[in-house]
Amino acid sequence: DGYFYQRVAECRYSSKDLQGIEYIDSYVFNQAEYVRFNSTVGKYVGYTEYGVKNAEAWNKGPELAQERGELERFCKHNAPIYYS
């Protein structure tokens, strides 16, 4: 019953080299991922019709700059904690 919305932001650490860090921000509705930001790709990518529309709008707006900053602010800042 009802609807399910989830947003998952994660850092993927592949090595202790800070260049190997990847930031992913996924948006899920009713267990289907509809849009994702990936720092390696550098933009939002939509996986459903609704997600494509969101990705197009967010890639043109201030959301993109904010997401690009999360790799530095969130992932690289917390890397020492992850590796300790």
Side-chain angles (χ1 to χ4, degrees), residues 4-83:
F4 175 79
Y5 170 80
Q6 179 180 15
R7 181 176 176 193
V8 178
E10 64 179 312
C11 301
R12 293 185 180 170
Y13 301 93
S14 59
S15 67
K16 287 192 176 189
D17 177 13
L18 294 181
Q19 300 302 319
I21 299 173
E22 181 179 39
Y23 172 73
I24 298 172
D25 191 6
S26 299
Y27 295 77
V28 178
F29 183 72
N30 282 352
Q31 300 180 353
E33 182 178 28
Y34 65 94
V35 69
R36 171 190 292 185
F37 174 83
N38 184 318
S39 64
T40 304
V41 176
K43 65 179 185 176
Y44 288 96
V45 177
Y47 298 107
T48 66
E49 183 179 348
Y50 178 69
V52 169
K53 288 179 182 180
N54 278 287
E56 288 173 357
W58 295 347
N59 284 331
K60 295 176 185 172
E63 297 86 356
L64 184 62
Q66 181 178 347
E67 287 284 34
R68 287 181 172 165
E70 291 300 299
L71 180 66
E72 291 290 328
R73 187 193 70 78
F74 182 63
C75 295
K76 290 185 179 180
H77 175 76
N78 289 310
I81 297 168
Y82 177 81
Y83 289 121

